Amino acid sequence: QVQLVESGGGLVQLGGSLRLSCAASGVIFSSYAMGWYRQAPGKQRELVASITSGGSTNYADSVKGRFTISRDNAKDTVYLQMNSLKPEDTAVYYCNAAKAWYDYWGQGTQVTVSS
């Protein structure tokens, strides 16, 4: 059974930082591309950052220079370091694991940035 469990969300002030973690189980983690998505109230889910099995990264324009995605294959965990947070970063953040036709999602973790 595949599980993706996010943690690290919470309430932070404008300009603050948070580090999200997503621990995977039930998959060969190192072979999957991993991504962080977010969904704000009334908006569609959007890609925030992704990292391939080889370590190549991709970021949404809105978070470039502020967020960093990384992975630790020894711990089957992907991270999202979020700095200089803004109120518009407020959303539920979801972890995703994808390979070929396989696509798995975590349950989400709330990030709220207060001004």
Side-chain angles (χ1 to χ4, degrees):
Q1 182 180 358
V2 177
Q3 279 194 313
L4 300 175
V5 180
E6 300 103 333
S7 61
L11 174 65
V12 64
Q13 290 190 331
L14 172 68
S17 297
L18 283 175
R19 188 196 196 201
L20 305 183
S21 300
C22 171
S25 60
V27 293
I28 304 174
F29 178 80
S30 60
S31 68
Y32 278 73
M34 301 299 298
W36 285 99
Y37 290 72
R38 67 186 181 188
Q39 188 167 18
K43 294 188 177 181
Q44 288 189 332
R45 191 173 296 190
E46 63 175 357
L47 175 67
V48 175
S50 63
I51 185 167
T52 67
S53 58
S56 296
T57 58
N58 180 55
Y59 296 92
D61 287 343
S62 59
V63 307
K64 281 180 181 177
R66 300 189 297 123
F67 291 10
T68 302
I69 189 171
S70 61
R71 64 190 299 160
D72 185 339
N73 289 338
K75 295 183 178 180
D76 291 350
T77 300
V78 63
Y79 304 96
L80 186 68
Q81 178 67 44
M82 304 186 295
N83 299 327
S84 302
L85 283 161
K86 306 175 181 179
E88 51 263 45
D89 295 318
T90 295
V92 178
Y93 283 70
Y94 297 90
C95 175
N96 173 263
K99 182 178 72 171
W101 54 86
Y102 297 103
D103 192 41
Y104 302 106
W105 293 90
Q107 82 287 351
T109 185
Q110 177 71 45
V111 171
T112 303
V113 184
S114 66
S115 55

